[in-house]
């Protein structure tokens, strides 16, 4: 189905059919990103909750703290999750993923995307073997000719190709010139794979607007903003990266006339300034109904921006390719300021995944796609992206088949080193070894192990191979890797169990065990108490744990830049400040790498982007580290520590409020509404309690260090807590 053609609506129809056939059916809705978890959750709540269906989402932290364990074990009809969190729940045998009737896999074409794609393929292989009665529904605009093969792989059924689009697409190539001291805009109306016009036509017009810009590209940007924007219609400007998003948003702010910002926009501006601790590009440009969207925004800022766009409060959006992850912006026009995603050119799939959002259902007759042809290079790139993007899906595991002879030769050596092979073929072999670890962990007798080759055939790569000879070769490769792993760790089931339940590789588990044996700071159970962990006076405690986690291949917790060397203490200080409520601006000043950035907006963007990475990887790493230290490989039970780090709070009551969508800076004072033991509530009950607070309650709950009033916090909560 093309982008914006109603995939979610089709999924909702299947959900209702499934529930009609089996009243207690459980549905898992899998989406590729944490941002998309929130959007799909909001959409499902809006559409299906009135039918008395219970919709919940998993925490994005790769662990299951006691609160989440309790709430996920309650009655849930539809659970929205990322593949990584679902994989963890499957490995932990969590009750929330037992007896599932339907798995919906959104953006299923991501199965071909590197390491994460291979993990998704192998997750589906596990699900179809361990959940044989479940149905699968895969949604994608780009599966193309692979639909039948994927259908066969997952056990048969129906594949449906829908070519309906919510609106016709018109592609414009724009160039600028001058005639008699007036700006002239030259239009090329271009044929494309997704339009009905088959011939190219050209015309030009004198610009009816006074263009303040000097360069060709800036003139085209300014002209498009003024010409294609209308009230209640939004134009999306796709930019190369976070910095160019802010630059372009500031550019629009300078060249556009004053707009009247609504009370809702002004509230969001105030919240962003309050959250960060200072004004930002976003809080400034919103006054002219301009928004930014990129990885340098907080979770709450993104959700609030998306809320404003959906409510037609925003006329101009400057964004990176975050929209290509499936975040649904209702836009009428898309302008490609860049054909690059960072240092990588966008491909046809990315282009049409974004361009396909132009034109809103039942509102726009035409979706306008605008390409700047200000240079020969840009014109060539733009035209090259207009061809059909639906190529055959190729399994990431094909890398193993293509390099099979070399892999088998290296495994046959007396000094064979599987870790070295994983390093060389990380995208494919890393996830495959993790899959084999799971198979070894769940196998209980030798008969089962001798039949293990059948499990190799559950992969999509096996189904894609045409000849029997090719299939046999793939089996030999898998058998070689599996036997090496089995022989090396046959007497070390505990290690494999830890690797399976944490998602970390066997070498990483061994490294953690080594640290546990030699570091009292790691092995001392008292050091894992929150008061000891989040204590500036004893920063060495968390620093030592961060040192161990950062050394693991899976986390890569370094600063990823050359401005400052990695120091565990800096990360520890940031995390303690994050958990104890410091403003973002203050946190950004802790680390030398960010102190050196003189541009305040760039510093905030870079730090928030890094903070997302730190809290995700630190919570995952510390969850695994703590589980191994406590030695409960049979049934790992996470503490609150990883979730406290992920959500940025220091107590369990605030944590449960963060899980239902309460902003970090409000969660501490709002936690006073939790009067009974936490496990006596459900997520639904907590949301109802928040919605039931009176105006005077909100005035008393308002954080003392916040510039927002009680009523303003009430409105923010109405938007974010669904």
């Amino acid at each position: 189905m093309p982008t914006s053609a109603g995939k979610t609506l089709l999924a909702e129809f299947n959900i209702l059919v499934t529930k009609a056939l089996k009243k207690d059916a459980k549905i898992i809705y899998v989406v590729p990103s944490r941002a998309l978890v929130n959007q799909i959750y909001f959409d499902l709540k809006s559409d299906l909750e009135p039918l008395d269906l219970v919709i919940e989402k998993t925490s994005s932290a790769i662990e299951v703290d006691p609160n989440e364990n309790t709430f996920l074990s309650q009655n849930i009809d539809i659970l929205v999750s990322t593949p990584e969190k679902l994989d963890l729940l499957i490995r932990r045998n969590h009750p929330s993923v037992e007896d599932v009737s339907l798995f919906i896999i959104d953006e299923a074409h991501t199965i071909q995307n590197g390491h994460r794609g291979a993990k998704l393929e192998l997750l589906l292989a596990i699900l179809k073997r361990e959940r044989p009665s479940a149905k699968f529904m895969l949604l994608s605009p780009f599966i193309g000719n692979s639909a039948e093969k994927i259908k066969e792989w997952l056990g048969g059924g129906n594949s449906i190709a829908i070519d309906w689009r919510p609106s016709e697409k018109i592609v414009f190539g724009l160039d600028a010139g001058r005639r008699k001291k007036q700006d002239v805009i030259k239009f090329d109306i271009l044929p494309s794979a997704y339009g009905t016009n088959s011939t190219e036509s050209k015309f030009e017009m004198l610009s009816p607007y006074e263009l303040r810009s000097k360069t060709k590209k800036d003139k085209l940007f300014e002209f498009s903003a003024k010409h294609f924007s209308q009230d209640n219609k939004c134009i999306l400007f796709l930019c190369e990266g976070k910095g160019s998003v802010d630059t372009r948003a500031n550019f629009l702010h300078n060249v556009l006339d004053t707009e009247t910002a609504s009370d809702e926009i002004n509230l969001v501006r105030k919240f962003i300034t309050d959250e960060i601790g200072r004004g930002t590009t976003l809080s400034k440009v919103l006054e002219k109904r301009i928004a930014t969207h990129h990885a340098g925004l907080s979770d709450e800022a993104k959700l609030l921006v998306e809320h404003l766009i959906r409510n037609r409060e925003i006329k101009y959006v400057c964004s990176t390719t975050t929209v290509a992850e499936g975040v649904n912006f209702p836009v009428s026009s898309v302008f490609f300021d860049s054909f690059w995603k960072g240092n990588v050119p966008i491909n046809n799939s990315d282009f049409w995944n974004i361009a396909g959002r132009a034109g809103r259902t039942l509102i726009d007759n035409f979706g306008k796609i605008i390409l700047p042809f200000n240079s020969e290079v840009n014109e060539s790139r733009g035209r090259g992206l207009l061809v059909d993007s639906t190529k055959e899906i190729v399994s990431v595991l094909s890398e193993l088949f293509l390099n099979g002879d070399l892999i088998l030769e290296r495994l046959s050596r007396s000094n064979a080193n599987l870790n070295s092979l994983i390093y060389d073929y990380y995208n494919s072999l890393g996830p495959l070894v993790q899959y084999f670890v799971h198979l070894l962990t769940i196998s209980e007798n030798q008969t089962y192990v001798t039949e293990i080759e059948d499990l190799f055939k559950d992969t999509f790569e096996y189904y894609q191979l045409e000849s029997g000879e090719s299939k046999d070769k793939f089996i030999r490769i898998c058998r070689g890797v599996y036997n090496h792993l089995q022989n090396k760790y046959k007497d070390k089931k505990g290690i494999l169990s830890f690797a399976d339940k944490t998602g970390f590789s066997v070498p990483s588990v061994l490294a953690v065990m080594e640290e546990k044996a030699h570091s009292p700071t790691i092995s001392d159970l008292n050091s894992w108490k929150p008061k000891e962990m989040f204590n500036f006076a004893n920063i060495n405690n968390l620093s030592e744990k961060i040192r161990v986690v950062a050394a693991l291949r899976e986390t890569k917790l370094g600063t990823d830049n050359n401005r400052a060397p990695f120091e565990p203490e800096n990360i520890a200080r940031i995390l303690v400040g994050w958990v104890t409520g410091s403003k973002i601006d203050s946190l950004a000043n802790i680390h030398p790498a960010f102190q050196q950035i003189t541009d305040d907006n760039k510093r905030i963007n870079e730090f928030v982007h890094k903070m997302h990475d730190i809290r995700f990887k630190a919570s995952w790493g510390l969850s695994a580290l703590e589980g191994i230290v406590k030695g409960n490989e049979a049934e790992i039970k996470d503490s609150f520590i990883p979730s406290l780090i992920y959500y940025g709070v220091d107590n369990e009551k605030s944590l449960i409020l963060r899980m239902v969508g309460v902003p970090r800076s409000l969660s501490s004072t709002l936690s006073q509404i939790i009067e009974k033991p936490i496990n006596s509530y459900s997520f639904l009950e907590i949301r109802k309690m928040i919605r039931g607070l009176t105006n005077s309650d909100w005035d008393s709950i308002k954080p003392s260090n916040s510039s927002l009033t009680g009523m303003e916090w009430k409105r923010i909560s109405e938007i974010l807590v669904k």
Side-chain angles (χ1 to χ4, degrees), residues 64-66 69 92 623 626-627 630 632 635-639:
V64 185
D65 73 44
N69 180 60
R92 299 280 182 92
S623 171
E626 184 183 18
K630 292 182 176 179
N632 53 338
E635 185 183 0
I636 288 182
K637 293 183 178 179
D638 292 304
S639 74

Side-chain angles (χ1 to χ4, degrees), residues 72 139 263 288 362 448 645:
L72 290 183
L139 303 171
D263 291 341
K288 289 192 176 182
L362 303 179
Y448 185 86
I645 286 177

Side-chain angles (χ1 to χ4, degrees), residues 637-656:
K637 293 183 178 179
D638 292 304
S639 74
F640 291 102
I641 291 291
S643 284
L644 294 176
I645 286 177
Y646 183 81
Y647 285 106
V649 291
D650 61 1
N651 64 85
E652 297 169 26
K653 290 183 177 181
S654 297
L655 174 60
I656 199 61

